[in-house]
Every structure is written in structure tokens, then in C-alpha cells.
């Protein structure tokens, strides 16, 4: 089952519940006990690990389609990324230290903004998360899914995220 985007998201992990309230583009974790019965039950590959990450996280960012969940633990500076596969099961993909994330290309491309550089991740075939480049100084994304980057050596390149093939193509 895919996450339903609402102003308040309450997830059930057996008897335990974790709630997030939408504030701007992110969801902030609610700290009080959740009494409401209107919960969403999602399928996770590793339920114990997912509960640990969701319980520890203070913020959650969700892709426009609800198939990528980014849990941010501000105390450790770590983000946990979950990707939903074709069987609608959320699997833990990677944890990264980061400051900010931006979704682009219909949610298929994820830009991680660090202090001195940017990295690109993209959702590929079989709903896997791939690191595309991690030393970009600038990343600009056009409305037609073209991605213009400049790396740390001041070399520029243009890529295209092909939504149908779910891959990144170099075009110049």
C-alpha cells in the first residue's frame, strides 16, 4: 500500500504508532501519544528497522508520488531513505548525512544538498536508488527533465532523466 499524502500521517507498526504533521513541504513528527485510530499501515521489508528509523526521525520528506520516504534524524544529522518497490513494499535504500533534499523530474531524481557540494540520486529500474554523481557544484533542472551540472573541476555536462526507461542519459 502506497502512502496517502494528507495533512497528518499516522503510521501503525503493530501496536505502536508514529505521527507526522505537514508543515510546509515536510512532515514534522508529533511527540505526544497518538490516540487517533485513522492509521495507515504500510508494508516494509524490515519492519523492525523501519520502526526504529521512523521512531528516531524528527522530519519526513515524501516524494510527489509517495514512493520515496526520507526520514531525517536531526540529532545525528542522518537521513534514512526508503524506496517502494513494484510489490508496494518500502525497502531501506541508504542512509546519508545531508542538509537538504529536493525532488525533481516528477520525483524520480533526488538532489542531496550538502555544505559544499550536491549529489544526485535517481530511481532506476526495479525501483532501486542509484547515486549518479556526488561532487557537483551546481545542479539546475529544467522542466523537460534535462539536468545541467557543473562539477568540482568546473566541467559542465547535461543529462536527461528518462522517466519511461528510468535511467540517466548523457546528452552533452
Amino acid at each position: 500500500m502506497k502512502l496517502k499524502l494528507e495533512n497528518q500521517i499516522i503510521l501503525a507498526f503493530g501496536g505502536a504508532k508514529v505521527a507526522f504533521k505537514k508543515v510546509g513541504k515536510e512532515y514534522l513528527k508529533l511527540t505526544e501519544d497518538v490516540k487517533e485510530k485513522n492509521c495507515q499501515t504500510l508494508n516494509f521489508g524490515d519492519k523492525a528497522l523501519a520502526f526504529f528509523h521512523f521512531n528516531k526521525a524528527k522530519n519526513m520528506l515524501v516524494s510527489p508520488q509517495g514512493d520515496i520516504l526520507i526520514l531525517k534524524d536531526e540529532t545525528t544529522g542522518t537521513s534514512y531513505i526508503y524506496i517502494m518497490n513494484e510489490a508496494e513494499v518500502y525497502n531501506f535504500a541508504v542512509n546519508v548525512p545531508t542538509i537538504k533534499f529536493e525532488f525533481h523530474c516528477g520525483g524520480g531524481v533526488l538532489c542531496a544538498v550538502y555544505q559544499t557540494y550536491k549529489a544526485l540520486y535517481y530511481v532506476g529500474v526495479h525501483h532501486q536508488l542509484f547515486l549518479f554523481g556526488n561532487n557537483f557544484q551546481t545542479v539546475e533542472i529544467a522542466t523537460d527533465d534535462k539536468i545541467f551540472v557543473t562539477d568540482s573541476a568546473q566541467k559542465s555536462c547535461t543529462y536527461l532523466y528518462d522517466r519511461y526507461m528510468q535511467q540517466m542519459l548523457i546528452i552533452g
Side-chain angles (χ1 to χ4, degrees):
M1 171 185 279
K2 189 183 283 191
L3 180 68
K4 292 182 216 140
L5 302 179
E6 300 171 351
N7 284 334
Q8 183 170 323
I9 296 172
I10 302 171
L11 298 174
F13 293 89
K17 297 177 185 175
V18 180
F20 293 88
K21 182 177 178 116
K22 188 168 188 174
V23 178
K25 292 183 178 182
E26 292 188 337
Y27 290 86
L28 299 179
K29 185 176 178 187
L30 298 175
T31 54
E32 65 269 4
D33 285 340
V34 181
K35 306 270 190 245
E36 196 171 320
K37 295 181 180 181
N38 191 14
C39 299
Q40 296 185 44
T41 303
L42 304 178
N43 295 321
F44 290 96
D46 185 337
K47 289 179 176 49
L49 182 64
F51 176 70
F52 175 75
H53 289 159
F54 274 85
N55 199 33
K56 197 173 178 184
K58 302 294 180 212
N59 303 40
M60 180 172 64
L61 191 62
V62 182
S63 69
Q65 299 84 4
D67 58 346
I68 301 175
L69 307 176
I70 302 172
L71 304 164
K72 297 191 325 186
D73 179 1
E74 302 294 337
T75 58
T76 62
T78 303
S79 294
Y80 308 101
I81 303 175
Y82 280 82
I83 305 288
M84 188 177 73
N85 66 19
E86 58 275 351
E88 295 193 344
V89 174
Y90 287 93
N91 289 307
F92 175 64
V94 67
N95 66 310
V96 292
T98 191
I99 295 173
K100 179 181 171 187
F101 285 103
E102 302 166 351
F103 286 105
H104 298 285
C105 303
V109 174
L110 183 62
C111 182
V113 181
Y114 296 89
Q115 289 180 346
T116 58
Y117 64 95
K118 296 179 180 183
L120 286 177
Y121 293 87
Y122 72 94
V123 178
V125 181
H126 304 298
H127 304 277
Q128 294 177 319
L129 188 68
F130 294 97
L131 175 62
F132 184 65
N134 62 357
N135 67 341
F136 297 130
Q137 295 295 313
T138 62
V139 174
E140 297 174 31
I141 302 183
T143 56
D144 59 357
D145 295 347
K146 288 184 184 156
I147 303 166
F148 308 98
V149 299
T150 303
D151 66 16
S152 58
Q154 298 302 317
K155 293 180 182 176
S156 296
C157 198
T158 304
Y159 300 96
L160 173 71
Y161 178 68
D162 185 333
R163 293 184 197 204
Y164 177 72
M165 298 295 290
Q166 292 184 315
Q167 63 184 357
M168 198 75 79
L169 306 170
I170 186 167
I171 58 175

